[in-house]
Amino acid sequence: TEKEKQFRKDLIKRATKEEKTFRSFLDRNGIKYQFQKIMYIKNSIGNIKKFYILDFYLTEYKIAEEIYKQNKC
């Protein structure tokens, strides 16, 4: 829906330093990915129950990767 798409756009605009670093790594190594991919969870009749936005979805490997900021101690 439009609500999820707008939320995704906002996340892309606010990408963290860690996400940008990982994206750069993927680009340098020619790894195909989707950034801030919306993944819908549907019930048995196909209606959307909920959704997640994955930081990265590595399309060739079918792997989702979430990037977390490490706090300095």
Side-chain angles (χ1 to χ4, degrees):
T1 69
E2 287 305 312
K3 182 179 176 182
E4 289 93 359
K5 290 177 184 176
Q6 183 59 49
F7 186 58
R8 177 183 178 266
K9 285 181 184 180
D10 292 341
L11 287 174
I12 291 170
K13 288 179 189 175
R14 296 182 292 126
T16 65
K17 181 179 128 188
E18 292 79 10
E19 290 170 335
K20 290 174 184 176
T21 299
F22 189 67
R23 186 169 49 192
S24 178
F25 169 82
L26 296 173
D27 289 338
R28 281 193 319 270
N29 290 283
I31 299 171
K32 295 178 183 176
Y33 63 92
Q34 294 177 25
F35 183 54
Q36 302 296 359
K37 177 180 174 51
I38 300 173
M39 178 173 280
Y40 294 100
I41 306 300
K42 298 180 180 181
N43 63 17
S44 60
I45 58 172
N47 295 328
I48 297 171
K49 286 178 25 177
K50 57 184 169 180
F51 73 96
Y52 297 97
I53 298 183
L54 309 171
D55 286 346
F56 292 90
Y57 181 70
L58 310 181
T59 53
E60 292 179 17
Y61 303 99
K62 298 181 181 177
I63 294 175
E65 184 68 41
E66 287 292 314
I67 304 296
Y68 295 95
K69 183 177 181 178
Q70 183 175 357
N71 294 325
K72 296 180 181 179
C73 297

